Amino acid sequence: MPASQSRARARDRNNVLNRAEFLSLNQPPKGVPEPRSSSRKASGPSVQPPAPGDGARERRQSQQLPEEDCMQLNPSFKGIAFNSLLAIDICMSKRLGVCAGRAASWASARSMVKLIGITGHGIPWIGGTILCLVKSSTLAGQEVLMNLLLALLLDIMTVAGVQKLIKRRGPFETSPSLLDYLTMDVYAFPAGHASRAAMVSKFFLSHLVLAVPLRVLLVLWAFCVGLSRVMIGRHHITDVISGFIIGYFQFRLVELVWMSSNTCQRLISAW
């Protein structure tokens, strides 16, 4: 027995881990609690590991949030130019909206300005064209009126489709009138009154023999209709300009598909 104890002491002395400089390796660091026994771990509340989908969702959110919140530090020249023109358009449209509300500077003239805009509305023009078509007794007059009716219907469908696609709001919080809802002229881009005024004026200038003063008045009427829509706050300046351009191309399209007198007579007889 003493021999075995002496051999154990000799073995401990020969173990390098029992030396003073290596004793810190065998002891736990200070401030660190000792691990609990397996029995305590079993009796304590079990912690469930996170589901694999939660970690993937958190990583996806951490990757998406910076992209959503970050600012574009190096925008392109086209983006800067477009945003600048858009800001100028909104600013100038608000300045010209002098009849937009009751507190506007020209609020007393709002009724008269709205009346000018109504002269370019689709409902009066379609109703008047149908009435003139019924009263007309000449083949040439019926041909011109039938093609004018086609141009008016094309204008309403084109403007309504583009407005539904773009869905641009006006510069002021003004609600459309009942007539605007009837012709589906609810949004701002493009201005339906301006496109209709440009198309009708170009149509009359091409197919009616008018004196020079009447031709000048017709062009001024189309310009005043577009300006009135900006003054009451329903459209931006670019909406009106785009409406003028669309109205001109609509006239060109009607000229390409011009219905002959025989075709117009067949359509009238079918009614």
Side-chain angles (χ1 to χ4, degrees), residues 31 35 85 136 241:
L85 292 176
S136 179
I241 295 175

Side-chain angles (χ1 to χ4, degrees), residues 8 12 17 26 30 52 76 105 139 145 157 159 223 234 245-246 268-269:
D12 292 339
L17 295 178
N26 297 326
K30 295 181 179 181
S76 63
S105 56
L139 296 179
L145 290 171
M157 290 186 295
V159 171
F223 174 77
R234 281 282 286 118
I245 296 173
I246 291 175
I268 293 173
S269 61

Side-chain angles (χ1 to χ4, degrees), residues 130-258:
I130 294 175
L131 180 62
C132 293
L133 185 61
V134 172
K135 297 292 185 180
S136 179
S137 58
T138 62
L139 296 179
Q142 292 176 357
E143 179 182 352
V144 172
L145 290 171
M146 280 296 296
N147 285 278
L148 177 59
L149 182 61
L150 173 65
L152 291 171
L153 294 176
L154 175 65
D155 175 76
I156 289 178
M157 290 186 295
T158 303
V159 171
V162 176
Q163 285 188 359
K164 191 68 175 178
L165 182 64
I166 303 299
K167 293 184 178 181
R168 186 186 188 188
R169 298 291 182 180
F172 295 92
E173 295 296 332
T174 56
S175 59
S177 62
L178 179 61
L179 292 176
D180 293 334
Y181 281 109
L182 291 177
T183 55
M184 295 173 287
D185 188 7
V186 179
Y187 296 99
F189 183 89
H193 293 66
S195 66
R196 198 168 301 112
M199 185 268 296
V200 169
S201 61
K202 182 61 178 173
F203 192 94
F204 285 170
L205 290 174
S206 299
H207 297 284
L208 296 181
V209 179
L210 300 174
V212 174
L214 292 177
R215 298 173 75 89
V216 173
L217 288 176
L218 194 60
V219 175
L220 287 177
W221 166 76
F223 174 77
C224 290
V225 168
L227 181 61
S228 67
R229 303 300 289 175
V230 180
M231 293 177 66
I232 64 174
R234 281 282 286 118
H235 297 281
H236 300 85
I237 297 176
T238 53
D239 302 334
V240 174
I241 295 175
S242 301
F244 287 152
I245 296 173
I246 291 175
Y248 173 77
F249 282 107
Q250 286 173 349
F251 164 76
R252 300 301 301 175
L253 180 60
V254 172
E255 289 291 309
L256 291 175
V257 298
W258 184 269

Side-chain angles (χ1 to χ4, degrees), residues 75-85:
S76 63
F77 175 76
K78 292 182 180 180
I80 295 175
F82 177 77
N83 292 331
S84 301
L85 292 176

